[in-house]
Amino acid sequence: CLEAVISGGDFMSETLKEKRDNALKEHGSKTEVRVGYGLTEATAATCLTPTGRYKNGSIGIPFPDTFYKIVAVGTHDELKAYEDGEICICGPTVMQGYMNNESETLQALRVHEDGKTWLHTGDIGYMDEDGYVYYRQRLKRMIVSNGYNLYPTHMENVINSHPDVLTSTVIGIPHPQKIQVAKAFIVLNDGVEPSKETMKKIKQHCEINLAKYSLPAEYEFRDSFPKTLVGKVAYTKLEKEEAEKLKGKE
């Protein structure tokens, strides 16, 4: 009886989508999980996967009368297809501004050379030649390591595809030479022991599926992750924990 199943509010890995789609199919449903994207500043959803036209990793195409473009971070310069940059949105659902906060409004809403007001979302992504949008992650979460941009969401997607892994979170931790390196926190599936052998298999999986420069420098097993009030992983709490550890060593 399901007509639509929509995922939004946080990143959905390819592995999780595939599991949910298979479960729906096994129970006789003709629907699939449709991935979307939105934010409060644009009155929730602004982009959604068309029925039966999903592209791996995509968050879909913009709604009618809503326009997307990808710009180089810190500029108004539109990028070419497949180039990573900041996601910007223009349309009738975009907010008028933050109440009683002119400075934040000026940062988020900017008039571009085309005369339109664009919402700078603070999210990193790209667009393909067909107009499908792909979300990478929050700009604030990007890890800059030894001159390379590392995307925790992509790394988590790879780690989560390992059969022993339930979920993972990747953060940046300080490094004396590289400025930052990646650290992966991993929650294992029920019945899987957090052993050296399990860790070795997960590391090998990452070495096969991630570029050498983007491999996590550290891995740690956890029973669970701290969560925000809306149920998202509170990665900032993990960052604070690592900062406290560093202070303790000093």
Side-chain angles (χ1 to χ4, degrees), residues 3-21:
E3 293 293 331
V5 179
I6 297 172
S7 168
D10 206 346
F11 178 78
M12 186 176 202
S13 70
E14 289 295 305
T15 305
L16 182 57
K17 176 173 165 40
E18 185 178 354
K19 287 179 180 178
R20 295 296 172 263
D21 285 345

Side-chain angles (χ1 to χ4, degrees), residues 42-66:
T43 324
T46 56
C47 184
L48 185 65
T49 302
T51 304
R53 292 171 55 197
Y54 176 70
K55 284 191 175 187
N56 287 345
S58 171
I59 53 175
I61 59 176
F63 286 165
D65 300 322
T66 299

Side-chain angles (χ1 to χ4, degrees), residues 37-221:
Y37 167 86
L39 64 167
T40 303
E41 290 84 348
T43 324
T46 56
C47 184
L48 185 65
T49 302
T51 304
R53 292 171 55 197
Y54 176 70
K55 284 191 175 187
N56 287 345
S58 171
I59 53 175
I61 59 176
F63 286 165
D65 300 322
T66 299
F67 299 91
Y68 270 59
K69 70 176 173 180
I70 311 298
V71 303
V73 175
T75 75
H76 298 174
D77 301 331
E78 189 167 4
L79 298 175
K80 297 177 182 177
Y82 299 102
E83 291 184 335
D84 287 336
E86 185 175 16
I87 298 172
C88 293
I89 303 171
C90 176
T93 66
V94 170
M95 68 174 182
Q96 293 181 340
Y98 295 110
M99 183 176 287
N100 301 325
N101 197 331
E102 185 178 358
S103 61
E104 287 294 323
T105 298
L106 291 173
Q107 285 294 316
L109 298 177
R110 305 180 197 174
V111 179
H112 287 199
E113 287 67 22
D114 58 9
K116 297 178 180 178
T117 299
W118 290 85
L119 170 65
H120 285 243
T121 64
D123 288 330
I124 297 293
Y126 66 92
M127 194 179 295
D128 68 17
E129 72 277 5
D130 296 323
Y132 277 73
V133 185
Y134 297 78
Y135 171 84
R136 288 285 200 183
Q137 64 188 48
R138 291 292 294 167
L139 179 58
K140 292 179 180 178
R141 283 202 70 196
M142 187 171 69
I143 302 167
V144 180
S145 179
N146 207 29
Y148 291 100
N149 292 338
L150 310 185
Y151 299 104
T153 302
H154 174 63
M155 299 162 77
E156 292 160 5
N157 200 19
V158 169
I159 296 169
N160 293 348
S161 67
H162 190 280
D164 290 341
V165 175
L166 176 64
T167 187
S168 65
T169 293
V170 175
I171 66 169
I173 59 174
H175 188 274
Q177 284 82 41
K178 298 181 179 180
I179 302 178
Q180 280 187 312
V181 291
K183 177 171 182 176
F185 296 88
I186 300 167
V187 176
L188 298 171
N189 279 315
D190 289 341
V192 180
E193 292 296 323
S195 63
K196 290 183 179 179
E197 183 60 31
T198 302
M199 182 71 78
K200 182 180 177 181
K201 289 191 293 182
I202 293 171
K203 285 183 177 180
Q204 288 174 340
H205 175 75
C206 289
E207 288 167 2
I208 292 169
N209 294 284
L210 288 171
K212 188 175 181 180
Y213 68 82
S214 68
L215 288 170
E218 295 184 25
Y219 297 78
E220 182 180 321
F221 290 130

